């Protein structure tokens, strides 16, 4: 039994690796103890906006219809949310849909949306799994859409790794890009040095494997890490409370 199997971890993902890099205590809380923090409305804004954009790229729906569909999706996702930023995030959705569609429609109709990928490497006993937002197979283009309230001027490493993994799973002939969309602007950036980004994911995956192999006891692993509760990962009060219960901090 390998280190992942003993903790019933069947696959890795970019988010798992990002969490471990940011704070190994999150791996203990979420991946080993199964505690999931409440998702905020910023995440719902992203999911809902992507829903509206996908509708606009794959059908003849009008902009108004795409925006309405995105708002409906946001309302469904956030129906029980107590997030104080709900209305601010909701108000951003129509503009994000408009900007993203203007940015991506010149590419034409995507050949696939939300394609599940699985990528294996001999360096790890479990695969990486993910979902690609948009693929234009004829053009050899993969795009991951990120909604924002303030436009990024470059791709951050977390997003670059995500797209690099997608391209590795689909083949070396793909051009990976990240489209950032705000209510007023959108920009698309090409991912460079994709092999290096994939290598970084593998390196983090191996670090997770090494950490898990130290002990078959979750409690013992918890004693080896300390959470950074000032991080945004602990913005959910329930997550902070759980961190205190487990780590005493």
């Amino acid at each position: 039994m390998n280190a992942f199997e003993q903790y019933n971890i069947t696959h890795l993902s970019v988010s798992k690796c990002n969490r471990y890099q940011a704070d190994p205590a999150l791996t203990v809380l979420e991946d080993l103890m199964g505690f999931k923090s409440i998702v905020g409305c910023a995440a719902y804004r992203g999911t809902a906006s992507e829903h509206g954009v996908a509708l606009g790229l794959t059908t003849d729906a009008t902009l108004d219809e795409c925006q309405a569909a995105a708002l409906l999706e946001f309302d469904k996702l956030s129906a029980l949310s107590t997030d104080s930023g709900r209305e601010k995030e909701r108000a951003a959705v129509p503009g994000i849909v408009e900007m993203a569609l203007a940015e991506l429609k010149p590419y034409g109709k995507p050949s696939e949306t939300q394609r599940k990928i699985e990528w294996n490497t001999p360096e790890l006993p479990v695969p990486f799994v993910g979902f690609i937002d948009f693929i234009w197979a004829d053009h050899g283009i993969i795009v991951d859409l990120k909604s924002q309230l303030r436009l990024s001027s470059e791709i951050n490493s977390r997003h670059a790794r995500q797209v690099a993994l997608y391209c590795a799973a689909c083949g070396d002939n793909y051009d990976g890009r990240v489209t950032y969309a705000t209510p007023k602007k959108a920009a698309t950036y090409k991912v460079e040095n994709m092999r290096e980004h994939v290598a970084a994911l593998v390196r983090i995956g191996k670090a997770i494997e090494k950490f898990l192999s130290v002990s078959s006891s979750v409690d013992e692993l918890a004693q080896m890490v300390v959470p950074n509760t000032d991080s945004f990962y602990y913005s959910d009060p329930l997550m902070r409370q759980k961190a205190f219960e487990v780590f005493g901090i």
Side-chain angles (χ1 to χ4, degrees), residues 7-21:
Y7 286 107
N8 297 314
I9 296 175
T10 59
H11 67 275
L12 288 171
S13 65
V14 176
S15 61
K16 288 179 188 288
C17 289
N18 287 339
R19 284 202 307 266
Y20 185 81
Q21 182 187 29

Side-chain angles (χ1 to χ4, degrees), residues 110-211:
S111 54
E112 293 182 75
T113 65
Q114 287 302 305
R115 174 180 170 184
K116 182 179 181 180
I117 61 96
E118 186 173 299
W119 183 77
N120 290 276
T121 171
E123 297 186 69
L124 289 165
V126 295
F128 282 88
V129 171
F131 291 86
I132 303 175
D133 287 346
F134 303 107
I135 302 176
W136 285 267
D138 290 344
H139 304 301
I141 294 174
I142 286 173
V143 171
D144 196 64
L145 175 63
K146 302 294 184 186
S147 73
Q148 298 180 316
L149 298 183
R150 179 177 295 179
L151 190 68
S152 292
S153 59
E154 60 183 4
I155 303 175
N156 70 43
S157 60
R158 300 188 310 276
H159 300 159
R161 290 171 189 162
Q162 189 174 8
V163 173
L165 176 66
Y166 297 160
C167 291
C170 292
D172 293 334
N173 295 326
Y174 276 88
D175 177 17
R177 306 178 187 185
V178 177
T179 292
Y180 294 108
T182 75
K184 295 182 178 180
K185 298 178 182 179
T188 299
Y189 306 111
K190 181 178 178 179
V191 179
E192 305 288 351
N193 305 315
M194 287 196 284
R195 292 182 185 275
E196 288 83 352
H197 288 301
V198 173
L201 279 176
V202 174
R203 172 68 181 84
I204 298 170
K206 291 169 70 175
I208 296 172
E209 181 182 24
K210 184 67 174 178
F211 174 63

Side-chain angles (χ1 to χ4, degrees), residues 31-77:
D31 297 313
L32 306 187
M33 294 184 170
F35 182 80
K36 304 298 181 184
S37 61
I38 296 175
V39 176
C41 285
Y44 298 145
R45 174 242 298 160
T47 301
S49 297
E50 184 182 315
H51 177 74
V53 172
L55 180 65
L57 292 177
T58 59
T59 73
D60 294 326
T62 65
L63 174 59
D64 286 346
E65 290 171 336
C66 294
Q67 291 171 321
L71 287 173
L72 180 61
E73 184 71 9
F74 181 91
D75 290 341
K76 287 194 298 184
L77 293 171

Side-chain angles (χ1 to χ4, degrees), residues 6-7 210-221 224:
Q6 71 178 351
Y7 286 107
K210 184 67 174 178
F211 174 63
L212 299 179
S213 69
V214 171
S215 175
S216 59
S217 167
V218 176
D219 291 338
E220 187 172 356
L221 291 179
M224 300 176 186

